Amino acid sequence: MLRFHATLAAIGLATLAVPASAEIVATSESGFVTKASARVAATPREAWLALIKPSDWWNDAHTWSADAANMTLVPSAGGCFCEKIPGEGDIPLDGSAQHAIVVQAVPDRALRLRGGLGPLQAVPATGVLTVTLSEIDGGTRIDWEYNVGGPMGFEIGQISKAVDGVMNQQLLGLRDHLGALDGDEAEAAGETPDQEDEDQPAEEASVGDQVDALAD
């Protein structure tokens, strides 16, 4: 059951409930960038340990096997974000899928993977997913950025919204698994907090810039 490939229309349904800060921040003729953030009531170490175990929070509907329990992630350079596809029939032969490869892992701080997720796996385009963990008052802020580029055979406006919806759905799953920090549920529902998050500066470097700085 290759649900991750079903239809762009079905994938797009995931945009109905996403973090308020989720958005498509850039598009071009050959790519797009989606970005979202969530605040969780967990330490950076707790957030890291959850992040590297996608079987606990990834949405079953967006897997090849229809069961997130089959997903694993090896948090080191060259490690695979992979999925087992259990075989069927009298003599079952298991299959597998590679969602992405880890290119950077800094425990408690940042994880970067390279790969075409979902329908992008079948086309030359690829993407870089960067997840940054930042300690804030009462928990951790998770910044999530997916930068996609290359030939993909899809209309950019359509595929960017569909992928953004699915990626944000996974971030919500991680947030809910860890426990949302007070106020984050309201933001996800589209409400405006009474005041801006004092833990965040008015202007922030991109997630990619933050992780690049870690490697220096």
Side-chain angles (χ1 to χ4, degrees), residues 64-146:
W64 297 99
S65 64
D67 188 352
N70 293 313
M71 304 183 83
T72 58
L73 192 155
V74 179
S76 61
C80 187
F81 174 26
C82 289
E83 179 181 352
K84 175 184 176 181
I85 304 176
E88 300 177 351
D90 295 335
I91 306 177
L93 297 176
D94 291 341
S96 60
Q98 175 185 294
H99 292 278
I101 290 293
V102 174
V103 294
Q104 184 183 73
V106 183
D108 308 340
R109 301 178 70 182
L111 179 70
R112 177 176 286 158
L113 307 96
R114 184 180 298 274
L117 300 174
L120 298 175
Q121 187 183 82
V123 298
T126 191
V128 176
L129 173 63
T130 300
V131 182
T132 303
L133 308 178
S134 305
E135 185 172 9
I136 59 175
D137 187 22
T140 301
R141 172 172 168 149
I142 305 173
D143 286 302
W144 187 287
E145 181 181 279
Y146 192 40

Side-chain angles (χ1 to χ4, degrees), residues 3-193:
R3 296 188 182 185
F4 215 157
H5 239 250
T7 64
L8 292 180
I11 292 173
L13 293 177
T15 62
L16 296 178
V18 298
S21 57
E23 61 178 327
I24 300 168
V25 298
T27 60
S28 68
E29 294 182 355
S30 60
F32 58 91
V33 180
T34 73
K35 185 175 181 180
S37 65
R39 295 177 298 170
V40 298
T43 66
R45 173 57 56 88
E46 291 169 334
W48 174 262
L49 292 176
L51 173 65
I52 62 176
K53 194 176 180 183
S55 58
D56 285 346
W57 51 268
W58 198 270
N59 190 292
D60 291 339
H62 298 298
T63 65
W64 297 99
S65 64
D67 188 352
N70 293 313
M71 304 183 83
T72 58
L73 192 155
V74 179
S76 61
C80 187
F81 174 26
C82 289
E83 179 181 352
K84 175 184 176 181
I85 304 176
E88 300 177 351
D90 295 335
I91 306 177
L93 297 176
D94 291 341
S96 60
Q98 175 185 294
H99 292 278
I101 290 293
V102 174
V103 294
Q104 184 183 73
V106 183
D108 308 340
R109 301 178 70 182
L111 179 70
R112 177 176 286 158
L113 307 96
R114 184 180 298 274
L117 300 174
L120 298 175
Q121 187 183 82
V123 298
T126 191
V128 176
L129 173 63
T130 300
V131 182
T132 303
L133 308 178
S134 305
E135 185 172 9
I136 59 175
D137 187 22
T140 301
R141 172 172 168 149
I142 305 173
D143 286 302
W144 187 287
E145 181 181 279
Y146 192 40
N147 192 329
V148 177
M152 62 189 76
F154 299 110
E155 195 277 317
I156 294 295
Q158 183 182 28
I159 189 64
S160 61
K161 291 179 181 178
V163 171
D164 181 54
V166 172
M167 297 304 293
N168 291 326
Q169 188 180 62
Q170 309 321 313
L171 177 56
L172 275 178
L174 176 59
R175 184 201 69 176
D176 293 345
H177 173 68
L178 287 165
L181 196 61
D182 289 346
D184 205 70
E185 300 98 328
E187 290 186 49
E191 300 175 12
T192 302

